[in-house]
Amino acid sequence: MSMLQIWLVQALFIFLTTGSMELKNTSGLMFQTLQRVILPSGHLTHLQGTILIQKIKCILMAISLM
């Protein structure tokens, strides 16, 4: 399982188990972002991958601060 797939599962788990609307919205955003990338092809250019990883790290940081 790739790191992106692991993050996808974690985001879905947080979304389904949290009572916090802020956390639900943030994890939902992460899930939607990852789903768009992983499900269609699973292939990214280096630039797309770099940008995606930066966005996901920001979302993960926001989740950890909640």
Side-chain angles (χ1 to χ4, degrees), residues 18-35:
T18 186
S20 163
M21 283 310 292
E22 287 180 351
L23 191 54
K24 189 174 284 287
N25 290 341
T26 305
S27 62
L29 174 65
M30 183 175 163
F31 179 78
Q32 290 173 5
T33 303
L34 286 165
Q35 191 177 35

Side-chain angles (χ1 to χ4, degrees), residues 7-62:
W7 284 342
L8 182 70
V9 170
Q10 289 175 342
L12 182 59
F13 178 76
I14 292 167
F15 181 81
L16 294 173
T17 60
T18 186
S20 163
M21 283 310 292
E22 287 180 351
L23 191 54
K24 189 174 284 287
N25 290 341
T26 305
S27 62
L29 174 65
M30 183 175 163
F31 179 78
Q32 290 173 5
T33 303
L34 286 165
Q35 191 177 35
R36 286 190 194 123
V37 173
I38 293 171
L39 295 182
S41 68
H43 300 290
L44 296 172
T45 67
H46 180 70
L47 180 60
Q48 288 172 321
T50 302
I51 292 169
L52 178 67
I53 295 298
Q54 290 171 347
K55 287 181 180 178
I56 292 169
K57 285 183 178 179
C58 288
I59 294 169
L60 288 170
M61 186 182 305

